[in-house]
Amino acid sequence: MSWRPTHAQIRAICVAAVLLGAAVLLRRPDAAVFGLPIAFLAVWGRYFRPHARPEVHTELDADVLFEGQGTTYRLRVPGVVDPDIDLIVAALPRTLWFQYDPPQAAIAEPVSGGEVTLEVGVRSKRWGLRSLERPTVTATSAVGAYRVQVTSAEPQAVTTLPLREGFEAVDAVPRPAGLVGLHRSRRPGEGTELAGVRPFRTGDRLRRINWAVSARTQELHVTSTWSDRDTEVVIMVDTGGEIGISEGIDGRSSSLDTAVRAAAAVAEHYLRNGDRVRLIDTGSLFRGVRSGSGRGHLRRILDTLVHADRRGRQQDQEQLARRNRVRSDSLVLVLSPLLRQTMLGYIVTLVHSGCTVIAIDTLPPDVASIIDVDAHDVRSWPLAWRLRLLERRRDLDRLSDLGVPTVPWQGSGTLDEVLRDAARLSAAPRIRS
């Protein structure tokens, strides 16, 4: 695209031609007085018309953000530009879930001979993977006579991770099974937490000898410890639908928002404590993260969560059981609004297989009022929804009878009470019939 005259240049040429023509034909010198300055400006703009097009390079300070974080979208025009270029204007197309600074996402900078840099602040308000579309960059010549649109680089992809708030839970984990981790096992072994002092036995390490007690009793004694164990935590995210309204990190959260953010926070907590974490996305046949540990594993989980989509292909109960086999000694945390019979049936299957299952309710507390407002049929929807909530309450009571606690997600401390009860129950002696 070449340099084209602006509307101001075309108007100046037309007005100057009309006034000067009237001055000659009608012998009106006053028309020439008004027309000559305008004609001079039109000739000035045409004489200083640029010929070279500037190059625009775009960059993003950070392409991976957490919810609520911001970055800077920067456009650079190299210093070697046509000296007749006077102004460069950039307008960034507005994208959903991004907040811009300035709010109109447009900025202009004059060209003074050096490199021109245009910066727009961008803040991400919701988790997910989305793109910042290529901006519209326009260069203008002196007196605004000519302009040209410059094609910028490809759109910039921005990944927004859902890990936002810290999550803490009690250290009690039912049935720790591994050989590493920060949880105290019920079995003695190599660890950091003291269990007591006992007489020396063959095979004890010499560094465990308690010399103070040995000198007092004239017999070798060693300090025993409880072994440090880990457990496999399975986080199951129900992406079979989205209930409620999503307004980003600054507003209301839908059931899918709550599930994704809670899954990220819980995974970060248990991975920090040395446990193995597995992620299951019920809305996809293929997405999921195998059991693992470490900071790199947390990043894999977060990268998977940003692709959670309510429009994914939903699995039935048989597919869930066949494709997502869970060990019987695992701690399974189900993040779901608990409305689909498929999820409720699979929870029952996990309980019967011997897993410790905790259902985390992600249904928004104000969902009833949301549906009242957004319903197409005001007379039928509220009553139907109340009946559905009663059915849901019946299903949750049945889960409670099976030993599955249901807790609403409330951030840090949500699982403290149920984890203590689960650990106490798993430590109790079992009565065999």
Side-chain angles (χ1 to χ4, degrees), residues 271-287:
L271 289 174
R272 187 176 66 245
N273 286 304
D275 293 306
R276 290 168 289 114
V277 177
R278 177 185 175 188
L279 178 69
I280 297 177
D281 182 357
T282 64
S284 172
L285 293 174
F286 306 104
R287 279 200 303 268

Side-chain angles (χ1 to χ4, degrees), residues 122-400:
V122 179
R123 177 176 177 264
S124 182
K125 299 192 296 182
R126 190 175 188 251
W127 57 271
L129 181 63
R130 53 188 62 91
S131 297
L132 288 170
E133 298 298 330
R134 63 178 66 187
T136 301
V137 183
T138 304
T140 307
S141 68
V143 300
Y146 289 84
R147 68 175 55 177
V148 65
Q149 284 195 354
V150 184
T151 303
S152 60
E154 294 298 322
Q156 297 279 355
V158 179
T159 301
T160 305
L161 303 178
L163 187 59
R164 172 61 178 171
E165 60 179 353
F167 172 76
E168 295 292 339
V170 296
D171 194 39
V173 174
R175 290 180 288 183
L179 297 177
V180 296
L182 301 181
H183 304 294
R184 193 193 75 178
S185 172
R186 298 186 300 273
R187 300 176 181 178
E190 292 296 326
T192 57
E193 188 165 347
L194 297 179
V197 179
R198 59 172 176 79
F200 180 86
R201 291 196 296 260
T202 303
D204 288 336
R205 297 177 180 270
L206 296 180
R207 62 185 180 89
R208 293 290 187 182
I209 296 177
N210 191 316
W211 294 108
V213 177
S214 300
R216 187 171 61 251
T217 61
Q218 301 299 315
E219 184 181 354
L220 284 179
H221 281 71
V222 295
T223 302
S224 62
T225 58
W226 298 108
S227 61
D228 293 333
R229 297 300 178 99
D230 66 351
T231 190
E232 182 183 50
V233 179
V234 180
I235 302 175
M236 184 174 297
V237 183
D238 181 9
T239 58
E242 187 172 12
I243 309 298
I245 296 176
S246 178
E247 296 178 341
I249 194 65
D250 301 323
R252 291 179 292 183
S253 299
S254 66
S255 62
L256 187 60
D257 287 338
T258 303
V260 169
R261 291 164 184 161
V266 171
E268 194 272 340
H269 168 74
Y270 283 108
L271 289 174
R272 187 176 66 245
N273 286 304
D275 293 306
R276 290 168 289 114
V277 177
R278 177 185 175 188
L279 178 69
I280 297 177
D281 182 357
T282 64
S284 172
L285 293 174
F286 306 104
R287 279 200 303 268
V289 182
R290 294 182 178 181
S291 180
S293 59
R295 298 294 300 178
H297 190 66
L298 174 62
R299 181 56 193 272
R300 286 190 291 270
I301 290 177
L302 296 180
D303 287 339
T304 302
L305 287 174
V306 298
H307 292 90
D309 192 349
R310 61 181 177 181
R311 294 182 295 273
R313 179 181 176 183
Q314 304 305 318
Q315 306 177 62
D316 56 28
Q317 184 176 341
E318 182 180 352
Q319 288 177 321
L320 283 173
R322 185 175 66 252
R323 295 176 178 271
N324 304 292
R325 300 185 182 275
V326 180
R327 288 172 36 180
S328 60
D329 57 353
S330 300
L331 171 63
V332 183
L333 304 176
V334 181
L335 296 156
S336 170
L338 302 172
L339 289 171
R340 291 197 301 146
Q341 293 299 322
T342 299
M343 285 301 305
L344 298 173
Y346 187 54
I347 291 175
V348 175
T349 302
L350 292 174
V351 173
H352 289 163
S353 67
C355 297
T356 301
V357 183
I358 298 176
I360 301 177
D361 186 7
T362 61
L363 191 69
D366 56 346
V367 69
S369 62
I370 293 174
I371 292 185
D372 286 346
V373 173
D374 294 344
H376 296 288
D377 189 349
V378 179
R379 293 173 296 178
S380 61
W381 263 106
L383 178 59
W385 182 246
R386 286 196 294 269
L387 293 175
R388 183 65 189 91
L389 289 179
L390 290 175
E391 293 177 355
R392 178 176 179 270
R393 172 49 55 191
R394 180 199 60 191
D395 295 333
L396 297 186
D397 291 339
R398 291 177 179 176
L399 290 180
S400 179

